[in-house]
Amino acid sequence: MDHPPSRVISDRPITFGIVAGEASGDILGAGLIYSLRARYPRARFVGIGGEEMEAAGFHSLVPMERLSVMGLVEVLGRIRELFSIRARLMDYFLATPPDVVIGIDSPDFTLGVERRCRDAGIPTVHYVSPSVWAWRQKRIFKIAKSVNLMLTLFPFEARFYEEHDVPVAFVGHPLANRIPMEPDTAGARRSLGLDENKPVLAILPGSRGGEVERLGSLFLAAARWIQASRPDLQLVIPCINRDRERQVQGLVESLEVALPVTIVRGRSREVMAASDVVLLASGTATLEAMLLKKPMVVGYRLSNLSYKLLSHLVKVPHVALPNLLAREPLVPELLQDDATPEALGAAVLERLENEDERTRLTEAFTELHLQLRQNADEKAADAISELLEQSS
């Protein structure tokens, strides 16, 4: 990690309380610690964080993995432990108050901590906005009572907080600095052992078992539909771990007609970099595909009940991040009943063969990449330092 240039604000001893609950928050937290220490050389950092933050000099009161819980059933099974961890954390923060408390993502856990700290007179910051702009918008009132400052990764999020008079700073997205402006497509293909002269379709049906179950067969059926027209197309599926790899392998083997697919464990960004087009589930991967300047087709299905409930709650016209950022439909979104093998396949084929569309997308994605490339670690540290100096 590049260490920021020295810009000392104060050499007084400052304590930063930081709470991160998952791997992405750990990475954000580590970058933030390096930038804050450049401003406050005698600072100490304490709370809950992972290995990246600990390597940056952070003291974690409990292992971060104890907070990394996904899904309602898993949360219910661990609810007593989660309450116990929060109580222990609050006892520590209230007994030895930090100068500021920063919650990184994981809003179900961190916002409650921030609310109690703010009520106790400790300034609070939340880094990475919940999707309050998209659904359950009344959460904004809870957030307003919990934080002195919201740090957002995207400009459309900042606009939402400004409209609701919540102090906010748009800091950009760290991935926009880490991903180069021009992808090395040929290098990625060589690294993955792919033919550099044949087109590549990256297929990303999600990282969780339920997503892969719902979307894996659908995306494979779309790939088979495309291969009928483009038999030269190379199909590559990255899998986040061994379990997803086995799951995808089982879906491929269950197909009635054999389909040549390269399955890769991890390396999803490299797979996308190697591709001509990406067929993927809605989520953070759409941001990575955009930063890699790859045409994409977004498909998603939920259970009918979940879709009906969410369709009443969601308040935004798009679900894919490139469309939300551009405020226009740059990439096709085929959701629920619209997500058929034929529709997905036709959309992918159009993006494989329409060179003008590819050029237009590259220009639009480059503009969005530059918009997000704000050096987020530094901007976040600047905003927190300003809050700290105002509060002292």
Side-chain angles (χ1 to χ4, degrees):
M1 182 177 296
D2 293 332
H3 290 219
S6 179
R7 49 173 77 179
V8 175
I9 291 173
S10 172
D11 64 354
R12 70 186 190 274
I14 296 285
T15 298
F16 291 92
I18 305 180
V19 185
E22 51 191 280
S24 58
D26 185 34
I27 294 168
L28 283 176
L32 183 61
I33 287 169
Y34 285 119
S35 293
L36 286 170
R37 184 173 283 113
R39 290 154 177 77
Y40 301 96
R42 295 179 63 197
R44 62 187 290 265
F45 302 87
V46 63
I48 299 176
E51 292 180 0
E52 297 275 348
M53 290 167 65
E54 289 176 336
F58 181 80
H59 174 59
S60 191
L61 299 171
V62 295
M64 188 188 73
E65 308 85 73
R66 304 314 303 167
L67 293 189
S68 301
V69 183
M70 296 296 297
L72 178 62
V73 175
E74 291 87 343
V75 170
L76 290 174
R78 297 261 310 282
I79 197 76
R80 289 181 65 184
E81 182 186 6
L82 292 171
F83 278 131
S84 174
I85 290 171
R86 181 145 66 185
R88 179 179 168 188
L89 182 67
M90 287 311 310
D91 287 346
Y92 183 90
F93 281 166
L94 296 178
T96 55
D99 293 272
V100 61
V101 167
I102 305 160
I104 303 179
D105 209 354
S106 305
D108 291 335
F109 186 90
T110 55
L111 282 172
V113 172
E114 292 157 29
R115 174 71 178 269
R116 288 191 60 193
C117 287
R118 188 179 180 188
D119 287 347
I122 304 169
T124 59
V125 178
H126 191 84
Y127 190 5
V128 184
S129 171
S131 301
V132 63
W133 40 268
W135 68 299
R136 289 171 56 203
Q137 293 191 349
K138 289 185 179 179
R139 288 179 294 168
I140 189 69
F141 302 112
K142 176 185 176 183
I143 292 170
K145 292 175 181 176
S146 302
V147 305
N148 293 97
L149 176 66
M150 174 64 70
L151 303 178
T152 73
L153 306 184
F154 303 115
F156 62 82
E157 296 173 319
R159 288 192 292 270
F160 180 81
Y161 286 99
E162 287 166 356
E163 289 167 3
H164 289 84
D165 297 319
V166 176
V168 64
F170 160 59
V171 301
H173 201 294
L175 276 181
N177 281 89
R178 295 190 184 115
I179 293 177
M181 293 302 297
E182 293 187 17
D184 182 5
T185 300
R189 289 187 181 185
R190 285 193 297 271
S191 176
L192 291 164
L194 300 171
D195 189 326
E196 292 181 44
N197 300 309
K198 292 182 179 178
V200 175
L201 173 64
I203 302 173
L204 285 82
S207 59
R208 299 178 192 136
E211 284 181 322
V212 174
E213 188 67 32
R214 286 193 307 272
L215 300 175
S217 297
L218 172 65
F219 285 5
L220 287 169
R224 192 169 61 190
W225 188 94
I226 300 160
Q227 273 215 324
S229 300
R230 294 295 300 267
D232 59 334
L233 186 64
Q234 301 175 92
L235 308 174
V236 189
I237 304 179
C239 299
I240 194 168
N241 55 33
R242 185 187 295 271
D243 288 341
R244 295 294 79 74
E245 187 178 18
R246 288 184 182 133
Q247 189 179 12
V248 168
Q249 188 67 50
L251 292 173
V252 172
E253 291 171 357
S254 70
L255 295 172
E256 294 178 5
V257 179
L259 189 67
V261 179
T262 300
I263 300 174
V264 180
R265 191 184 307 168
R267 304 171 74 180
S268 62
R269 192 177 301 167
E270 199 172 3
V271 169
M272 285 192 277
S275 72
D276 292 281
V277 181
V278 185
L279 173 60
L280 75 174
S282 175
T284 307
T286 62
L287 176 69
E288 291 193 63
M290 182 198 85
L291 295 172
L292 290 163
K293 319 299 181 302
K294 299 300 178 179
M296 70 190 86
V297 174
V298 178
Y300 210 77
R301 279 184 184 171
L302 294 166
S303 70
N304 287 330
L305 178 59
S306 295
Y307 185 77
K308 284 177 182 175
L309 289 172
L310 280 175
S311 60
H312 290 298
L313 294 171
V314 173
K315 304 297 183 184
V316 288
H318 309 293
V319 298
L321 280 168
N323 294 341
L324 287 166
L325 286 163
R327 303 168 90 173
E328 63 173 298
L330 288 181
V331 305
E333 301 174 356
L334 297 167
L335 310 177
Q336 213 61 9
D337 294 341
D338 292 334
T340 65
E342 297 77 15
L344 292 167
V348 168
L349 205 55
E350 166 71 12
R351 274 136 199 89
L352 268 176
E353 298 180 345
N354 188 331
E355 197 60 43
D356 290 342
E357 171 71 1
R358 294 172 65 84
T359 301
R360 185 183 75 85
L361 274 179
T362 299
E363 291 171 355
F365 288 169
T366 299
E367 188 177 320
L368 293 172
H369 193 157
L370 289 169
Q371 186 182 105
L372 296 181
R373 190 175 253 218
Q374 300 286 325
N375 202 343
D377 296 337
E378 292 291 291
K379 287 198 76 170
D382 283 340
I384 293 167
S385 299
E386 186 177 338
L387 174 68
L388 198 53
E389 295 309 304
Q390 289 171 352
S391 304
S392 61

